[in-house]
Amino acid sequence: MPSEAALKWLESNKQASVDRLVGWLKIPSVSTDPAYRDQCRAAATWAAQRLTEAGLAAELVPTGTKEKPGHPIVLATTPTVHDPNAKGPHVLFYGHYDVQPADPLNLWESPPFEPVIKPAKGAVGEHIVARGAVDDKGQVASFLEALLAWKHSGGPIAGGLKITVMLEGEEESGSVNLERFVTDHRSRLESCDVCVISDTGMYDRQTPAITYGVRGLAYTEITLHAANRDLHSGQWGGRCPNPISELTKVLAGLWDKDYRVTIPGFYDSVRDLQPSERAAWKALGFDQVKALADIGMPPEADVGEKGYTALEREWARPTAEINGIWGGYTGAGAKTVIPAHASAKVSFRLVADQDPEKIRDAFFTWCKARTPAGCRWELTDHHGGWPVTVPTKSPMLDACLRALKAASGRDAALIKTGGSIPVGGLLKSALGIDTIFMGFGLDDDRVHSPNEKFELACFRLGCRTHVLAMEELGRG
Amino acid sequence: MPSEAALKWLESNKQASVDRLVGWLKIPSVSTDPAYRDQCRAAATWAAQRLTEAGLAAELVPTGTKEKPGHPIVLATTPTVHDPNAKGPHVLFYGHYDVQPADPLNLWESPPFEPVIKPAKGAVGEHIVARGAVDDKGQVASFLEALLAWKHSGGPIAGGLKITVMLEGEEESGSVNLERFVTDHRSRLESCDVCVISDTGMYDRQTPAITYGVRGLAYTEITLHAANRDLHSGQWGGRCPNPISELTKVLAGLWDKDYRVTIPGFYDSVRDLQPSERAAWKALGFDQVKALADIGMPPEADVGEKGYTALEREWARPTAEINGIWGGYTGAGAKTVIPAHASAKVSFRLVADQDPEKIRDAFFTWCKARTPAGCRWELTDHHGGWPVTVPTKSPMLDACLRALKAASGRDAALIKTGGSIPVGGLLKSALGIDTIFMGFGLDDDRVHSPNEKFELACFRLGCRTHVLAMEELGRG
């Protein structure tokens, strides 16, 4: 079968594939920090060059406005997309070339943007350590390598499959320009039958997986303003509001003793877990105690919403988290100050069918109802995305399951993830297409943390799977 | 009377006095930050030079240990201290040459260590803007100018009064080496009859004051540790403790709805307010609504312990304050992280007769009793000081009241302050001497805040008062 040559090419070009990924990871494409604007564009250009090399027509499409420019989106298509005689489905492949900020830098064992290959701890083979190694450059690279394999092994472009590629540069900063982009380029996207995204994980090292549900996100920043200047706590302590103290009192009320979010209506649109789902997940035998041990925590750290297992809480229950907090004096030693204001970054992980904007509004309303006497709020929306749950039975999904089995020799598990991939919900609402999340990360990849890594075994499984998936999906 | 010449000299050297103060304020003697070690020493040397110029024997005495060196203490004496025939009391003058950190720098209208003279807003005359302008360099300078006035006007050194001067360099960082210093130099201090400190304020622009009570302080830093690395809130949100969320829940419990501190035993040693005291303070007619308006806050911001007026809460009631808090992502935009730890600086203003060490221990015990599941505390003591309340009837205090009246033409008020001057409690316990707090600051001097200032009228009143006090105290 034609994929054999492509698979051989991958095998004999193993090192070159890793070298290419290293080159991409060296570009610090941190989208949330304006200081990295040029590096984001450089990372997009790099991807467009690989796509062109694989025979696709690729371009960088600008986003945002003149006043508030966004990071470009890499848009590419196989020639077959424009060939009226080409058979088979039209598949949209989405990924993102931007990465999370690398801080805290002091906790990295090697510089975040100087990738190193290390022996994989407690596993066979090696892994590559760098910011973006698995989220998402490494996974997108496994798709790009599959395209290069088809091309350089003399096969049809993308194995003959009709593919449109859309690589975003703002996934880690709220995808603020993606919805507008999808609307503006509807004509190039609406003929797609399904979307495939590699930005999730395997169930474990041995078990590949298709993720049929992701959580949504609503991300906010709140600042509580009190006096118009910093005050001396001797003169003013006990005489006026301390914005840090008042902010902690408000935020502490976000959860009840059972870790349920107290915002009115928060759970209204949450789909209940089905007994069949709970049974299927229980059968996976997830070991929360071991997972906690891996992050240095004892079994009693298994805290969360009462009445649900750890896996159920991550995959099927919404949460409220404080991702950052700051105010007053944070330097060395002591300063007896009552600051003028205090801030926090508060986000909510959502599940189908919660609406991110409704949750954000409910939170802001909840804050205002608790405004400390004499203080005022500054409430900012850093955006988020819709939760998604897709059907577990479809020809396309079956094609991906066949590819995973052929590439790994194992049956893939059907799982969910607690992470958010907003584009899934957007593509469903804007274009009516479902998304198949076929990822190759592992739970211990330290996503968003110092020393993020990607197992080379997973990277190579991703390359092989994408080669085979292009073939299987082409069968329609 | 001999003081006349000294007062004349002050009048004709007004500008030179201000210029000298400007020179001292230019030295950034921030004691809490090790980066300013040399500048602290330079500020101490500057003071020793003025004392020598005034005819005193001055030296810089090192503090701390070889491993953990402290900032030097300026120790100086008039020749009369060692003259067995010299009559009259022996007065200890204490002040501090170190200053608070200047941050947040962006809120200063002029650089904190480049003093500028400006027209005094809403008041006659001018004021000097700089970190340390009033706390405490400007006030110590008013004492130094009085010494220079006696010397250069041809009068006896310090008006003939037996004076020992002790200028500390760690008042803003917990006076960690002062107790040891006082013990080690007991032989040079124990013959003192009383201590005079200029580090407090007048009641208002028109009314000079003697402060007979200051609050104590216990200053701590607490860090809550959770996982051994930063985590992705998608993967872990709802599955393990978030140290920021858990820290806010613990800290929010520090107060009840009446703003009373909930730590068991916190109020046990607090002296009740006497009806006579409450009546005397009421008679001062303090306007809290105006004070709030001055810091940009509405009347409803008058919050604090239930059952007490604003003045009573500041002068006679203890508080718990969060002076700083930090954890997770605090940069621009969004980062969906659950951090490994979160921290806060928590301090307590104390009143007679609360013990700072007992309060610190009670708080740490309270924290441990609330350790979130699976987490651990790192608890640090940044030290503090004892509260002080001194007798309002004594010959020495009467002498100072006479000096204030002669210098200002007004009767001085007997007040308290919410600030802390730990040395008062230390001198009482170590040497058995009382302290007279005779200060010249104003409530709106922005102590510990950006744009700290000192009214030149107050500075000059301080100079005149110290000239006269040396004379009055000398009468014994």
Side-chain angles (χ1 to χ4, degrees):
Chain A
M1 60 204 257
S3 58
E4 266 174 22
L7 293 172
K8 271 207 193 68
W9 183 90
L10 283 177
E11 189 58 27
S12 49
N13 286 271
K14 268 182 173 176
Q15 189 53 48
S17 297
V18 173
D19 294 343
R20 272 186 290 271
L21 174 54
V22 165
W24 201 16
L25 291 171
K26 281 182 177 171
I27 307 171
S29 47
V30 180
S31 60
T32 200
D33 187 339
Y36 294 93
R37 161 159 302 285
D38 295 346
Q39 289 89 335
C40 286
R41 185 170 191 85
T45 304
W46 188 97
Q49 287 165 343
R50 298 292 81 67
L51 289 161
T52 307
E53 182 185 345
L56 285 74
E59 61 185 307
L60 263 58
V61 185
T63 66
T65 62
K66 192 184 241 165
E67 299 66 35
K68 207 162 183 286
H71 298 299
I73 284 178
V74 180
L75 198 59
T77 49
T78 52
T80 48
V81 167
H82 309 292
D83 173 1
N85 304 323
K87 302 246 170 313
H90 179 187
V91 175
L92 176 66
F93 181 88
Y94 164 91
H96 65 93
Y97 63 79
D98 63 320
V99 300
Q100 277 276 314
D103 68 292
L105 284 171
N106 58 311
L107 297 185
W108 283 79
E109 290 163 13
S110 55
F113 298 108
E114 295 173 26
V116 292
I117 310 294
K118 292 184 168 184
K121 285 199 195 73
V124 277
E126 302 172 305
H127 63 233
I128 183 166
V129 178
R131 168 59 82 228
V134 63
D135 180 17
D136 183 31
K137 282 175 177 168
Q139 302 215 49
V140 173
S142 72
F143 167 79
L144 296 175
E145 289 298 323
L147 288 175
L148 293 174
W150 278 106
K151 174 71 172 176
H152 294 306
S153 63
I157 291 169
L161 182 66
K162 280 186 272 180
I163 294 182
T164 290
V165 180
M166 179 170 70
L167 302 182
E168 187 194 2
E170 299 177 341
E171 198 270 350
E172 302 291 9
S173 52
S175 298
V176 289
N177 293 301
L178 190 61
E179 183 165 5
R180 175 69 189 276
F181 178 90
V182 168
T183 315
D184 292 352
H185 298 79
R186 160 180 300 284
S187 61
R188 295 186 57 175
L189 303 170
E190 61 191 350
S191 66
C192 294
D193 302 290
V194 71
C195 179
V196 173
I197 298 181
S198 292
D199 194 17
T200 50
M202 300 170 48
Y203 175 70
D204 59 29
R205 274 192 170 68
Q206 290 70 38
T207 320
I210 296 236
T211 300
Y212 69 96
V214 299
R215 288 199 287 190
L217 180 71
Y219 199 109
T220 73
E221 181 168 324
I222 65 175
T223 296
L224 186 65
H225 293 273
N228 59 12
R229 72 188 71 142
D230 284 3
L231 305 171
H232 186 319
S233 73
Q235 182 183 355
W236 282 100
R239 261 177 63 192
C240 73
N242 175 326
I244 305 177
S245 309
E246 298 301 330
L247 180 65
T248 61
K249 289 191 227 170
V250 172
L251 290 176
L254 258 178
W255 310 267
D256 66 15
K257 59 172 181 40
D258 295 330
Y259 282 84
R260 279 180 65 87
V261 178
T262 59
I263 298 169
F266 184 77
Y267 294 94
D268 286 358
S269 311
V270 174
R271 280 191 217 170
D272 290 332
L273 261 165
Q274 298 310 311
S276 58
E277 239 173 353
R278 301 187 87 159
W281 295 354
K282 194 162 186 296
L284 291 170
F286 175 72
D287 186 345
Q288 165 78 341
V289 171
K290 182 186 172 307
L292 286 169
D294 290 342
I295 58 167
M297 302 210 79
E300 56 267 34
D302 181 25
V303 296
E305 188 183 357
K306 195 176 176 184
Y308 298 91
T309 67
L311 206 60
E312 289 169 348
R313 298 197 304 265
E314 182 197 337
W315 289 1
R317 299 300 299 173
T319 69
E321 299 291 344
I322 306 177
N323 304 107
I325 194 165
W326 66 101
Y329 183 66
T330 60
K335 184 180 181 187
T336 51
V337 63
I338 293 178
H341 47 77
S343 304
K345 293 185 190 271
V346 182
S347 71
F348 303 87
R349 290 286 171 176
L350 311 176
V351 300
D353 297 299
Q354 288 176 297
D355 176 337
E357 297 191 352
K358 279 189 184 157
I359 294 297
R360 171 206 63 203
D361 293 343
F363 173 54
F364 286 174
T365 302
W366 181 88
C367 288
K368 288 175 193 152
R370 286 155 182 73
T371 308
C375 301
R376 72 179 166 81
W377 289 110
E378 181 184 348
L379 304 170
T380 308
D381 180 8
H382 284 312
H383 307 285
W386 281 82
V388 180
T389 294
V390 298
T392 52
K393 284 261 152 277
S394 78
M396 303 287 186
L397 194 136
D398 291 342
C400 290
L401 288 173
R402 287 196 303 274
L404 280 167
K405 172 132 195 195
S408 69
R410 309 261 312 219
D411 285 315
L414 282 169
I415 65 175
K416 282 191 164 192
T417 177
S420 301
I421 305 171
V423 66
L426 172 60
L427 294 176
K428 183 70 178 180
S429 58
L431 304 173
I433 62 174
D434 281 324
T435 295
I436 295 169
F437 299 100
M438 182 171 71
F440 302 92
L442 296 177
D443 267 3
D444 67 358
D445 281 343
R446 296 185 288 268
V447 170
H448 290 204
S449 301
N451 308 307
E452 176 182 350
K453 55 93 177 171
F454 192 22
E455 306 278 334
L456 293 191
C458 296
F459 172 60
R460 288 171 180 142
L461 174 61
C463 298
R464 288 197 307 277
T465 303
H466 280 298
V467 161
L468 291 160
M470 291 171 193
E471 190 169 53
E472 292 291 344
L473 286 164
R475 300 206 167 101
Chain B
M1 61 203 256
S3 58
E4 266 174 20
L7 293 172
K8 272 208 193 66
W9 183 90
L10 283 176
E11 188 58 27
S12 50
N13 287 271
K14 270 183 172 175
Q15 189 55 49
S17 298
V18 173
D19 294 342
R20 272 186 289 271
L21 174 54
V22 165
W24 201 16
L25 291 171
K26 282 182 176 171
I27 307 171
S29 47
V30 179
S31 59
T32 200
D33 187 339
Y36 294 93
R37 162 160 302 283
D38 295 347
Q39 289 91 333
C40 286
R41 186 173 189 82
T45 304
W46 188 98
Q49 286 165 344
R50 300 290 83 66
L51 289 161
T52 307
E53 181 184 347
L56 284 74
E59 61 184 306
L60 264 58
V61 185
T63 66
T65 61
K66 191 184 241 168
E67 297 67 35
K68 208 161 182 286
H71 299 300
I73 283 178
V74 181
L75 198 59
T77 50
T78 52
T80 48
V81 167
H82 310 291
D83 174 0
N85 304 320
K87 303 249 167 315
H90 180 187
V91 175
L92 175 67
F93 181 87
Y94 164 91
H96 65 92
Y97 63 80
D98 63 320
V99 301
Q100 277 276 317
D103 67 291
L105 283 170
N106 60 311
L107 296 184
W108 284 78
E109 289 164 12
S110 53
F113 299 108
E114 293 172 26
V116 292
I117 310 295
K118 291 184 167 183
K121 285 200 195 72
V124 278
E126 302 174 304
H127 61 231
I128 182 165
V129 178
R131 168 59 83 228
V134 65
D135 178 19
D136 181 33
K137 283 175 177 169
Q139 301 216 51
V140 173
S142 72
F143 167 80
L144 296 175
E145 289 298 322
L147 288 174
L148 292 173
W150 278 107
K151 174 70 172 178
H152 294 307
S153 62
I157 292 170
L161 182 66
K162 280 185 272 182
I163 293 181
T164 291
V165 180
M166 179 170 72
L167 302 182
E168 185 193 3
E170 298 176 342
E171 199 270 350
E172 302 292 7
S173 52
S175 299
V176 289
N177 294 300
L178 190 62
E179 184 165 6
R180 175 71 189 277
F181 177 90
V182 169
T183 316
D184 292 352
H185 299 78
R186 162 180 297 285
S187 61
R188 297 187 57 175
L189 304 170
E190 62 191 351
S191 67
C192 293
D193 301 290
V194 70
C195 178
V196 172
I197 298 181
S198 293
D199 195 17
T200 50
M202 299 170 48
Y203 175 69
D204 59 29
R205 272 191 173 66
Q206 290 69 39
T207 319
I210 298 257
T211 299
Y212 68 97
V214 298
R215 287 199 287 191
L217 179 72
Y219 199 109
T220 72
E221 182 169 324
I222 66 174
T223 295
L224 186 65
H225 294 273
N228 58 10
R229 71 187 73 142
D230 285 3
L231 305 171
H232 186 318
S233 72
Q235 181 183 356
W236 282 100
R239 260 177 64 193
C240 73
N242 175 326
I244 305 178
S245 309
E246 297 301 329
L247 180 64
T248 62
K249 289 192 227 169
V250 172
L251 290 176
L254 259 177
W255 310 267
D256 66 17
K257 61 173 181 36
D258 295 331
Y259 283 85
R260 280 179 65 87
V261 178
T262 59
I263 299 169
F266 185 77
Y267 294 95
D268 286 357
S269 311
V270 174
R271 280 191 218 171
D272 289 334
L273 261 165
Q274 298 309 311
S276 59
E277 234 172 358
R278 301 186 86 159
W281 295 354
K282 194 163 187 295
L284 291 170
F286 175 72
D287 187 346
Q288 164 79 342
V289 171
K290 184 186 172 305
L292 286 169
D294 290 342
I295 58 167
M297 302 209 78
E300 56 266 33
D302 181 23
V303 296
E305 189 183 358
K306 194 176 178 185
Y308 297 91
T309 67
L311 207 60
E312 289 168 348
R313 296 197 305 264
E314 181 196 338
W315 290 0
R317 299 298 300 174
T319 70
E321 298 291 344
I322 305 177
N323 303 107
I325 193 164
W326 65 100
Y329 184 66
T330 60
K335 184 180 179 186
T336 50
V337 63
I338 293 178
H341 47 75
S343 304
K345 293 186 191 270
V346 181
S347 71
F348 303 88
R349 290 284 170 178
L350 311 176
V351 299
D353 299 297
Q354 288 175 295
D355 177 337
E357 298 191 352
K358 279 189 185 155
I359 294 297
R360 171 207 62 202
D361 293 343
F363 173 54
F364 285 173
T365 302
W366 181 88
C367 289
K368 288 176 195 152
R370 286 154 183 75
T371 308
C375 301
R376 72 181 167 82
W377 290 109
E378 180 183 348
L379 305 169
T380 308
D381 180 9
H382 283 313
H383 307 283
W386 281 82
V388 180
T389 293
V390 298
T392 52
K393 284 260 153 276
S394 78
M396 303 288 188
L397 193 136
D398 290 342
C400 290
L401 287 172
R402 289 197 301 275
L404 280 166
K405 172 133 195 193
S408 69
R410 310 261 313 219
D411 285 314
L414 282 169
I415 64 174
K416 283 191 164 190
T417 176
S420 301
I421 305 171
V423 65
L426 172 60
L427 295 175
K428 183 69 177 179
S429 58
L431 304 172
I433 61 173
D434 281 324
T435 296
I436 296 169
F437 298 100
M438 183 170 71
F440 303 91
L442 297 175
D443 267 3
D444 67 358
D445 281 344
R446 297 187 286 267
V447 170
H448 290 204
S449 300
N451 307 305
E452 176 182 351
K453 56 92 176 169
F454 192 22
E455 306 279 333
L456 293 190
C458 297
F459 172 60
R460 289 174 178 136
L461 174 61
C463 298
R464 289 198 305 279
T465 303
H466 281 298
V467 161
L468 292 160
M470 290 170 193
E471 191 168 55
E472 292 291 345
L473 286 162
R475 300 210 168 96

